[in-house]
Amino acid sequence: MIHVLFSSAAGTLGQILMDRGQADRVAYFSDTLDWGPIQSGSFLEREEWFDKFAPVEFGKCDWLDEGASSFRRTVLANPDRLIWISPRCQQDLAGLFWFLAEFGGEGAQMIVADYPLHGTWRNEPPLRLSELQEDQIAELLDGCQRRAWDSSEYPEDRWSTLMAENSCLRIAEGGGLRSVDADYFDHFLVAQCPTDWTKAHRLIGDVMGTIWNSGHSPDAAFLYWRLRELIQCSTIASDGELPTFGDPKNAPKVRLLR
């Protein structure tokens, strides 16, 4: 069997399977398709876009195309597929709909984490599988009912619709995924940015917590992109270079201008 995941929870699951001596493979699709351009379907285009608009401190995003190719090879090696998602997670849903467009869902089984697990925050279903501890991933592996893929719930053509809508942001809503304007979460950054100088990474952390409390789960790299955009349009000021994801030590200070 191949376990298909769209988050870093794949590493935790892989460790569990190895510790148990199980021969199942794990296919981890690591691109965050909930944001960034998708209209052309080109991962090389996404690499160029991220390097230009949302650069990271630790290097170029020159791994997206090869990562997608490696994922395809792993998935195609075995038709016995178990797909893991949290339906509250926009990254999981974006990955799932891309997967269905690429491979179809016929014969696939699913683990859908849509119920509270032992020890989950506020006794709610998990917002992201990546937030779960090893014992909670094991709980899903051992106790979650396998569901046959349901085309009425997760249609194979949903990804083509999202591509045609040509948005740079997609959010989870009611178990589905919809396109929204890129500035959908900007008001959180503006509302929480103080008029006194504060480290950019501190603002990002505070805003991420607030957005998670609202039931959404954009990642930090996305919020750094939006902060850069707000700085460039003079809504927020920066005392140095535009902030990049992955460099809190050298993060500039920012403050609200209005």
Side-chain angles (χ1 to χ4, degrees):
M1 174 181 289
I2 291 180
H3 299 257
V4 177
L5 290 89
F6 308 102
S7 75
S8 59
T12 305
L13 174 62
Q15 186 62 54
I16 292 171
L17 294 172
M18 185 172 65
D19 290 346
R20 294 182 177 186
Q22 293 182 229
D24 294 0
R25 295 190 66 184
V26 177
Y28 170 30
F29 184 77
S30 55
D31 195 355
T32 53
L33 287 173
D34 55 304
W35 66 288
I38 60 171
Q39 186 180 37
S40 71
S42 169
F43 288 95
L44 291 175
E45 181 181 289
R46 282 177 61 79
E47 290 178 357
E48 294 174 0
W49 187 91
F50 280 110
D51 287 338
K52 179 178 179 180
F53 292 102
V56 295
E57 182 272 335
F58 40 80
K60 289 184 174 294
C61 292
D62 56 0
W63 49 270
L64 298 180
D65 186 66
E66 175 53 34
S69 297
S70 176
F71 178 85
R72 286 189 183 99
R73 291 191 295 269
T74 303
V75 170
L76 289 172
N78 191 336
D80 186 9
R81 301 159 186 168
L82 180 61
I83 305 168
W84 293 56
I85 66 162
S86 163
R88 300 179 68 199
C89 177
Q90 56 201 48
Q91 180 178 344
D92 279 5
L93 290 175
L96 170 65
F97 286 123
W98 175 83
F99 176 94
L100 293 173
E102 287 284 313
F103 307 102
E106 191 66 33
Q109 297 287 309
M110 299 183 68
I111 284 181
V112 182
D114 59 358
Y115 60 92
L117 300 170
H118 178 73
T120 49
W121 185 54
R122 299 195 304 198
N123 197 36
E124 295 179 352
L127 199 56
R128 286 176 174 241
L129 294 180
S130 56
E131 77 185 48
L132 300 178
Q133 302 298 314
E134 184 173 320
D135 62 329
Q136 295 166 324
I137 295 293
E139 183 181 341
L140 285 171
L141 178 62
D142 295 333
C144 185
Q145 179 184 5
R146 274 55 168 167
R147 306 181 189 179
W149 165 69
D150 182 348
S151 61
S152 65
E153 188 173 15
Y154 303 113
E156 288 180 342
D157 62 354
R158 181 66 181 129
W159 190 245
S160 62
T161 301
L162 292 165
M163 290 174 68
E165 290 169 350
N166 195 27
S167 172
C168 268
L169 178 62
R170 291 151 287 281
I171 63 167
E173 188 174 76
L177 194 70
R178 73 177 179 97
S179 300
V180 295
D181 292 337
D183 62 0
Y184 186 83
F185 294 112
D186 283 12
H187 66 281
F188 287 98
L189 285 159
V190 173
Q192 291 189 240
C193 186
T195 54
D196 296 327
W197 293 108
T198 189
K199 281 285 189 179
H201 70 275
R202 182 181 297 277
L203 172 64
I204 294 294
D206 291 343
V207 169
M208 180 177 292
T210 301
I211 296 176
W212 278 44
N213 282 336
S214 75
H216 295 284
S217 59
D219 62 27
F222 165 80
L223 293 175
Y224 272 97
W225 169 47
R226 296 313 308 164
L227 178 57
R228 290 168 63 91
E229 294 292 302
L230 289 168
I231 291 170
Q232 291 182 314
C233 73
S234 299
T235 300
I236 292 174
S238 172
D239 73 346
E241 296 291 329
L242 292 175
T244 56
F245 174 68
D247 191 23
K249 182 179 179 181
N250 298 310
K253 292 182 179 179
V254 295
R255 67 179 180 88
L256 188 66
L257 285 176
R258 66 178 187 186

